[in-house]
Amino acid sequence: MAARTSLRGERGVAFPRASAGAWVLALAFPIMLVHVDFQPGWDTTVGSTHAHIVLSDLAVLACLVAALAAVARDGLGRLRDGVPAWIAIGVFLVFVCAATVYPLRGSDPYPWHEHVVTTGKYVEYALLAPAAALLVRRSGDLRLLLLAVVASSSVASTLAVVQFFGWRIAGGWPAGYRQPSFLGHHDFAGLSGLALAIGLAAIAIPAWRLDRRLAVVAGVSGAVGLLLSGSLAGAIGLLAAGVVAAVVARGSWRRAAAILLVSAGVLGGVVLFRGDDVKSFLHFAGIGKKQEQLGVESYVQRTMLLYYGWRVFLDHPVLGAGWQASNDAYVYGPLLPALHRRFPDTPQQAFPSPQHPYGVQNAYAQGLSDLGAVGLVLFLGALLTPLALGGARLLRGPPDPCFLLPVAWLLVAMGVLTAIGLVAGIPLDAMLWLAAGLCAAAPLLDAREAPADRRERRGPHPGWGAVPPPSTGNGTVDLPT
């Protein structure tokens, strides 16, 4: 018998064959998504440094240990084609560590003993990028991860629907409002975008023999989740992923149009759902009749916090104020008079305070304020380098969901970053770095490829192996089963 190497598993297979490391990642993934407030944890103290360890930290650690086991068993060859991305990510993480130290050279009261904890947690999550490349080695491994994403999204969207209709559990907002599910609004949007991207990939590449029921569940749960999260940032990231999927489906204008219609429809639905906030922001921007702000208006406040981040950057243009320093009172305190002058109609509770250290709430703007121009360049490099590697493989090879999905996922996460800061240990961190790692990774090894064949592979190839197995001459690949 013969079998074809690709992600295209047999239709209807619920649990594909996967490695032990892939099972660790798939089981850890849902744990990483749970908001810290709903996780068991404990406090630990080392000197003057206090840390709160939660279950998701242990889940990430389990993935890193599984990745080390994979290295001991198979070596580092899986990381070879992604070397530019690993360098870019590594340099950025080194700079983040340095940004927890160099503020101590000045006279500012930088609380390094607090921020060193978040530095360690941020680096821990970022190491999921190479871990994903090491653990997701075969088509069955990736299919198992897709099942974990879809199952998590389905549970999250179901809970959000329950919250929307008035059952205020897991921190749910009042009935009829946007809901956080068990993650938080923007993390929920990120997960939903990942799930919907699976559905879009199924439309873009009809030859992908994904179980149709799984594709439908992914699409429905993702669309519902994005709408109920009310995250414009997540919807914009999904639109970017949809454009890429439409390009992949360019051979059929119907499929491309369907993908763009779904993506734009979700964005339009979120805009309508957030109509009051959008309307208030337009009034603030001078479009329509200006109205008095009676409470904290989301987009007006975000504009104010962006301006705050810009002012911090102007004071520290090269290296920034220091990792997470924009959350500290000694940084925002002196700027509060300027913020009040610039935004005179904004309620007092919208401004940073010891009770509400909002930070900048935009990862790219916070990159400028906390890490300076140098840090922002390194941060963008850590994201765009794997995106470029994954995009290049996607464009030069035949349409393959194994290339499309990581690129789409990374675009979704990068979109959500426009509404959430550089926060350590949140679900979006896990999704961001997993996507980056899969983008940077070399093509997947087929589960049935012999170890000897793996050792003989040389050089890049558009498919999921560095060199294709022997061809039968009719466009298929034969492997003994």
Side-chain angles (χ1 to χ4, degrees):
M1 296 178 62
R4 189 171 180 173
T5 62
S6 76
L7 177 63
R8 306 175 182 94
E10 295 181 6
R11 195 180 297 271
V13 176
F15 293 100
R17 292 183 179 180
S19 65
W23 274 102
V24 172
L25 178 59
L27 294 174
F29 181 77
I31 300 174
M32 299 177 203
L33 301 177
V34 179
H35 194 281
V36 65
D37 290 346
F38 309 131
Q39 293 189 46
W42 63 93
D43 295 319
T44 183
T45 302
V46 179
S48 59
T49 301
H50 303 276
H52 184 65
I53 308 300
V54 294
L55 188 60
S56 58
D57 295 319
L58 301 182
V60 174
L61 182 61
C63 293
L64 300 184
V65 171
L68 290 176
V71 170
R73 182 181 65 251
D74 301 315
L76 292 170
R78 179 85 171 102
L79 303 180
R80 183 180 56 197
D81 288 355
V83 166
W86 313 134
I87 292 175
I89 293 172
V91 171
F92 170 63
L93 295 180
V94 169
F95 188 81
V96 168
C97 294
T100 317
V101 177
Y102 62 67
L104 298 176
R105 298 183 59 186
S107 59
D108 294 328
Y110 180 76
W112 68 269
H113 55 282
E114 297 178 8
H115 297 319
V116 72
V117 175
T118 61
T119 298
K121 187 167 292 193
Y122 191 82
V123 171
E124 177 192 22
Y125 271 69
L127 291 177
L128 285 171
L134 291 165
L135 297 178
V136 182
R137 301 176 63 88
R138 300 175 176 87
S139 59
D141 298 341
L142 185 55
R143 287 178 63 84
L144 182 61
L145 180 59
L146 298 189
L147 287 172
V149 171
V150 175
S152 301
S153 174
S154 301
V155 173
S157 295
T158 301
L159 177 59
V161 170
V162 171
Q163 292 172 330
F164 180 79
F165 285 105
W167 193 4
R168 300 188 65 176
I169 59 174
W173 284 23
Y177 285 82
R178 58 192 298 222
Q179 300 298 335
S181 189
F182 58 80
L183 301 91
H185 293 98
H186 299 295
D187 298 288
F188 180 28
L191 173 61
S192 301
L194 264 59
L196 184 50
I198 297 173
L200 297 182
I203 298 174
I205 308 174
W208 182 21
R209 293 188 299 183
L210 182 71
D211 184 351
R212 182 172 297 178
R213 294 166 297 180
L214 182 64
V216 171
V217 171
V220 172
S221 67
V224 170
L226 274 168
L227 289 172
L228 293 182
S229 73
S231 173
L232 273 175
I236 291 172
L238 187 278
L239 180 62
V243 170
V244 172
V247 171
V248 171
R250 61 188 179 274
S252 169
W253 69 266
R254 289 186 177 88
R255 292 199 305 272
I259 291 169
L260 294 176
L261 183 62
V262 170
S263 304
V266 169
L267 176 60
V270 173
V271 170
L272 291 176
F273 192 36
R274 300 292 303 279
D276 290 341
D277 290 326
V278 173
K279 183 179 178 181
S280 297
F281 178 74
L282 293 177
H283 291 161
F284 167 78
I287 302 175
K289 184 179 179 180
K290 191 172 183 179
Q291 298 177 344
E292 180 183 0
Q293 294 185 42
L294 300 178
V296 177
E297 303 290 352
S298 178
Y299 298 121
V300 176
Q301 184 194 32
R302 288 187 177 278
T303 303
M304 182 266 291
L305 293 176
L306 283 174
Y307 177 71
Y308 161 60
W310 175 251
R311 290 297 301 265
V312 175
F313 165 70
L314 292 180
D315 291 339
H316 310 272
V318 179
L319 299 178
W323 172 252
Q324 300 288 295
S326 57
N327 296 324
D328 295 330
Y330 81 90
V331 174
Y332 65 72
L335 293 176
L336 285 177
L339 296 180
H340 281 284
R341 287 194 300 270
R342 187 65 178 263
F343 300 87
D345 299 326
T346 301
Q348 176 65 36
Q349 62 266 33
F351 292 88
S353 66
Q355 295 76 28
H356 302 288
Y358 296 114
V360 181
Q361 295 192 8
N362 180 301
Y364 308 107
Q366 190 177 357
L368 272 180
S369 65
D370 292 14
L371 306 177
V374 174
L376 178 63
V377 169
L378 295 179
F379 179 50
L380 292 176
L383 300 181
L384 295 179
T385 304
L387 184 65
L389 290 174
R393 297 188 186 110
L394 178 63
L395 292 176
R396 73 170 179 254
D400 196 321
C402 298
F403 296 139
L404 173 57
L405 283 174
V407 170
W409 286 357
L410 186 52
L411 288 172
V412 169
M414 290 176 66
V416 178
L417 285 175
T418 61
I420 197 167
L422 294 171
V423 185
I426 58 175
L428 185 65
D429 287 342
M431 292 181 273
L432 174 73
W433 295 114
L434 286 174
L438 293 176
C439 273
L444 289 178
L445 304 177
D446 187 84
R448 289 160 294 192
E449 185 180 1
D453 294 332
R454 290 202 298 266
R455 289 193 295 267
E456 294 174 0
R457 289 170 37 238
R458 296 291 187 273
H461 182 268
W464 278 102
V467 170
S471 173
T472 62
N474 60 0
T476 62
V477 172
D478 284 347
L479 289 173
T481 58

